[in-house]
Amino acid sequence: MARVVVDVMLKPEILDPQGQAVQRALPRLGFAGISDVRQGKRFELEVEGPVDDAALARIREMAETFLANTVIEDFDVKVES
Amino acid sequence: MARVVVDVMLKPEILDPQGQAVQRALPRLGFAGISDVRQGKRFELEVEGPVDDAALARIREMAETFLANTVIEDFDVKVES
Amino acid sequence: MTLDTVKHAAETPESGQPWKELGLKEDEYARIREILGRRPTGAELAMYSVMWSEHCSYKSSKVHLKQFGEKAPQTDALLVGIGENAGVVDVGQGYAVTFKIESHNHPSYIEPYQGAATGVGGIVRDILAMGARPVAVMDPLRFGAADHPDTKRVLPGVVAGVGGYGNCLGLPNIGGEVVFDPCYQGNPLVNALCVGVMKHEDIHLAQASGAGNKVILYGARTGGDGIGGVSVLASETFDSTGPSRRPAVQVGDPFQEKLLIECTLEIFREQLVAGIQDLGGAGLSCATSELASAGSGGMRVELDTVPLRDATLSPEEILMSESQERMCAIVEPDKVDRFLEICEKWDVIATVIGEVTEGSRLEIFWHGEQIVDVPPRSVAHEGPTYHRPYARPDWQDTLQADDAGRLPRPADSAELRAQVLTLVGSPNQASKSWVTDQYDRFVQGNTVLAQPEDSGVVRIDADTDLGVALATDGNGRYAKLDPYTGAQLALAEAYRNVAATGAKPLAVSDCLNFGSPEDPAVMWQFAEATRGLADGCLALGTPVTGGNVSLYNQTGDAAIHPTPVVAVLGVIDDVNRRTPMAFGEQGQLILLLGE
Amino acid sequence: MTARIGVVTFPGTLDDRDTQRAIGIAGAEAVPLWHRDKDLKQVDAVVLPGGFSYGDYLRAGAISRFSPVMGSIVEQANAGMPVLGICNGFQVLCEAHLLPGAMLRNTGLHFVCRDQKLRVETAATAWTADYAAGEEISIPLKNIDGRYTADERTLDDLEAEGRVVFRYRDVNPNGSLRDIAGISNAAGNVVGLMPHPEHAVEPLIGTGRTDGLAFFTSVIKKLVSA
Ligand SMILES: Nc1ncnc2c1ncn2[C@@H]1O[C@H](COP(=O)(O)OP(=O)(O)O)[C@@H](O)[C@H]1O
C-alpha cells in the first residue's frame, strides 16, 4: 500500500483570511519573523496496488475535478516515500 | 526568504469525518482503488531570516501550542527546498 | 494474551485486576465479585467501571435527586417522567414535547470545539431516542474572566463548536446564556438543551422486550476515541490516562448525526422499532445493559459484528468506546429487512449485533467465546449509592454577612455615572449578539422568538399555530450565597421568562453543575440546591422531567460556584399571541409588576 | 394549472421542508426530489435548498454536485428550466458550473446569521420578476462559506450582462467581491444566492418579514403563463 499526498492551496491572488488570522496571532503569542502564512488542505490517500504513471494520472484527474476547485485553488500531487 | 511547511493531521485513531466523506464519494465518481483518505491542514509559513535550528525549534513550538491541538492532532514541520 | 472469558475468570479467581485504575473503589469491586459469584472478566470490569462511574450512576447525587419524584407536583401533563432518556410532556392537540439539558463541561475544557460540538450531538440523540423530531437547541455557557488568556482559547472554540454542530444539523438555536466569572477559569460550563416534538403515539422507550427480537447498532463505526472518557470525567484529574493510551476526546460528525436523525424518524414513521437507545457516555456498555435492564428478557450480543473504524480494538475497548453518532434499536425479526433498507437509503451503516433472549442475563460473545455474563440491572440500574457527608461550610456566615449594604455608595453624579458605565460595559451585561449571531436561529422555519428575547418560542404545528416556549437561567453567585434560594431564583427567572412570552409553564429540566462531592461543603451546596429546586417546583406546579448532574468542576481545592441551571418549558396555544420583549408602539403605557 | 416545483434533498440538506412550505404558501405544488434519482418527476422548476449537504466536507457543494439528480438538473437548466439555488444550493450550482465563480470561507471566519438587506439589481430573471430593479429587501442570511469569488474578467462580464441579481446593502457579511449576494446564468433561468428567501414568507416567523415570497410568486407566474 502506498501513500499519495495531494496538497491543495488557494491561488496566490485569492484572499486567505484563515492564513491571515494565523499570521496576525503569531506576534501576540510571541512568535516573530513570519512574514506570511497561507492555510490549505492536505489529503493523504492510501492507494491499493502500484502507484505507477497510470495511477498517478488518475489521481491527478481526481484532484483536478474533485479535491480542488481550480477556479480558486491550485493543487500538487506527491508520492510519499 | 525561506518557506517552512507545517502539516497538521488528525491522529490516526481520531475520527476524520471529512476524509471519510471524500473517500465514500470516490467510487461514485468512478475512482476506485483508494482504501483510505485523511484530510488535514497545510500551513505555508514564509520565514524572515535564516531557517536554522533555532528558528525550526521555534516553529515546532508554534505548531505544538497553536497550529495543532495535540490532544487530537499530530503535526510535521518541513523546510521547503 | 489469552482472552479473559467467563470460564477463564471462574478458573482464575486470584488474578489481579486494574479496578482501581478504572476508578472503582475496593468495596465496589468486592460487590461486583459478589454479584457475579466470581471475579469479573476484563470486559465485565470495563462495563461495571464505566456504568458505576459518577457520570453514569449518579452515585453521589441520587439520594438527593429522589426529591424531584417525592415532591413532584400533581400534573396531568407528564407522559413520561424521570428515568428515561428525557421526560415527555403533553402539550395538547395530540402533541408531546420532550426536552432535556445536559453538560459537557470537562471535554470542552480539553478540546473546546469538539467538546462543545459533541455535547450538542449527545443531547440531540437523547431527544431523538424518545421518538421525537428535535426542533431547537439552547446553550447556557459559563467561562472564566472575559480578559483571561485561557478564555480566549476556550470561548471561541466552544461557540464555534455549538454553532458548527447545531447549524449543520439544522436545529435553530433559540437561546442560552453567556456568563463570565473567574470561578469558571479552569472549569468552563458547557450545558446544552434540546427540545423535540412528537405525537403521543410516537413515544419510544429504551427497553428490550420480546425474545427473538434483534438488536441493531446503527450510525457511525466504532473507533478508539473517547475510551475511558467516562472514567476520566468521573475522576477529578485530567491526567489519569486510565488503562488505555486511547484519547479521551471524541470528534463529532454532525453530518452523520443529521443522517441518523432523518433515518431514525423514517424508521419511527413505519413503526419498525420495539425499543431504542442512543449511545452516549459508556457507549455499548450503557446501551446494551440499559436496554436489557429495562426490558423483560435477557440479551445476547456478538461483539465481533460491531463495525469498527480501527480493527485493533479489544473487546473491552469496543464496549467502552464513546464514538459519537450511534444508536441501538430493538427490532422484530420480520421488520429487520425494512429497517436496514431505510438505513441504506440514508447511507447509514446498520448491523444486527445480537438478540433479545428468554433468559435474564446480558451475555456478550467475542470470537465465539463468552466474555460477559451479568444481570443487566446490576450494571445499569443497581450501581452504588453514596450518602456522602455534607455540612454547611463555616465560611457561609461570613460570606452572607458581606452584603451589598457594605459597599461604598457613589458620592456624586460623576461617580454614579462611572458606576453605571462600568455596569453596562461589563461582559456579563453586554449584548451577546457576537455569540448568538454565529448560531442559525431561522432554520426549520418555525422560530417565533429567539435571541435577544427572554425565551425562545417555536411553532410546532403550522396549521394550528401551537407552540412551545423555553428559557434557561442560572446564577452561581446567588447560589453560592444561598444554594437553596439560588436554585429557586434560577427556577423563578426561567419560569417568568416563559410566562412573559404568553406561554403557560409546564415542566422543568435542570443541569446541576457543582464541585467535588467529596467535599462536604460542596455536597451541602448540592443538597440545598436540589431541595430548593424540588420545593420550588412543587410550589409552582411544574415537575422536573429530567436533567443532568456534573460534579468535580473544580481545580485543586477551588470549586466553581454551585451552578444549578434551570430550563422551563411552556406551551402557547396560538403563537400569534406571543409577546415579544421590545417596547411596542409609541404612547403605550409601561407598567411595573411585583414588588 | 398549478405549477409544480421540485425541491431537492441531498444528504445533509436542511431547508428542504421550509422551501416546500414556502412554495405551498406562494400557491404552487412542491414536489420532493431525492438526490439518488435521475427522475425529476416532470416538475416545471427546481429549487436546491440550503443546508450542509455532505456536511460541507471538502468544499460546500463539492460532493452533491456529482449526485444523479444533478445530471438531470444540469440538462434541464441548459434547456431553460428555472432553477434556484439558495445558500448551499448556490454553492452546488457553482461547483456544477451552472453558475460561474466559487464560494469561500467568510472573511470574518465565523458563521454569520443575520437579517440581511439586499438590493435586487435586476427583475429580468425567472425568480425576480415580481420585484422591481433597485428594490431593497431584507431576508435572513446564514452561512460560513458565503464569500463569492471569481476572477476580474468574470466579474466584469457578470456586471456587463446584468447578471448580478442581488447585492448586499449596508453590510457585506462575508467579504463577497463587489458585494455580490446572487447571480444568474446568461439566460436568466438559473439563479443562485446566499440569503434565504424561504425563511421570509410568513409574518410571524423568523424576522417577521415576507420579502422572500416574491421569489416563488415570480417563477409561478412565469410558469403558469407559459
Ligand atoms: N450561548 C447562548 N446561546 C444562545 N443564545 C444566547 C446565548 N447567550 C445569550 N443568549 C441569548 O441572548 C439574549 C440575551 O441574553 P442575556 O444578556 O443573558 O439576557 P438576560 O440577561 O435578559 O437573560 C437572550 O435571548 C439569550 O437567550
Side-chain angles (χ1 to χ4, degrees), chain C residues 139 141 173 175-178 430 432 435-436 439 451-454 473 493:
Chain C
D139 62 326
L141 309 175
N173 185 310
E177 298 168 83
V178 181
K432 307 300 187 310
V435 169
T436 59
Y439 302 151
Q451 42 275 42
E453 299 288 342
D454 287 331
D473 284 291
E493 185 176 358

Side-chain angles (χ1 to χ4, degrees), chain C residues 121-360:
Chain C
I123 189 66
V124 168
R125 282 194 303 284
D126 265 341
I127 294 308
L128 178 63
M130 295 306 298
R133 173 178 280 281
V135 296
V137 293
M138 302 175 88
D139 62 326
L141 309 175
R142 305 278 183 292
F143 301 101
D147 54 2
H148 191 284
D150 202 49
T151 303
K152 291 200 176 73
R153 171 185 73 94
V154 174
L155 183 144
V158 165
V159 170
V162 169
Y165 206 98
N167 295 340
C168 188
L169 282 191
L171 293 178
N173 185 310
I174 58 167
E177 298 168 83
V178 181
V179 177
F180 299 95
D181 190 297
C183 78
Y184 304 111
Q185 199 60 66
N187 297 276
L189 303 186
V190 176
N191 294 175
L193 175 147
C194 182
V195 54
V197 176
M198 68 198 123
K199 289 288 197 169
H200 286 186
E201 59 271 22
D202 291 334
I203 297 174
H204 281 75
L205 299 180
Q207 51 182 242
S209 303
N213 285 350
K214 300 297 179 191
V215 181
I216 299 183
L217 177 67
Y218 67 111
R221 289 174 184 278
T222 298
D225 42 355
I227 290 175
V230 171
S231 340
V232 171
L233 288 182
S235 77
E236 54 275 61
T237 53
F238 291 131
D239 55 16
S240 92
T241 43
S244 123
R245 64 233 123 67
R246 315 272 184 191
V249 174
Q250 311 112 36
V251 168
D253 181 355
F255 169 57
Q256 175 71 245
E257 179 118 328
K258 168 69 179 168
L259 298 184
L260 210 52
I261 292 174
E262 297 303 330
C263 172
T264 303
L265 291 173
E266 194 164 331
I267 285 164
F268 287 153
R269 267 200 299 280
E270 298 197 16
Q271 301 186 330
L272 299 177
V273 300
I276 188 161
Q277 171 72 300
D278 60 299
L279 274 75
L284 265 176
S285 294
C286 179
T288 53
S289 64
E290 284 193 352
L291 280 165
S293 173
S296 53
M299 185 186 285
R300 178 189 168 102
V301 172
E302 307 289 340
L303 210 55
D304 310 75
T305 53
V306 171
L308 299 182
R309 213 170 68 227
D310 172 354
T312 68
L313 291 184
S314 69
E316 291 85 354
E317 290 175 316
I318 297 170
L319 282 169
M320 292 171 86
S321 164
E322 294 187 355
S323 286
Q324 301 289 297
E325 291 94 22
R326 297 179 298 164
M327 305 275 286
C328 196
I330 307 297
V331 182
E332 291 169 21
D334 60 340
K335 292 181 173 168
V336 168
D337 285 347
R338 181 62 191 142
F339 187 104
L340 298 180
E341 218 171 85
I342 294 175
C343 289
E344 196 281 332
K345 170 182 169 187
W346 288 100
D347 295 323
V348 169
I349 299 173
T351 316
V352 176
I353 61 165
E355 64 178 40
V356 179
T357 59
E358 303 273 4
S360 60

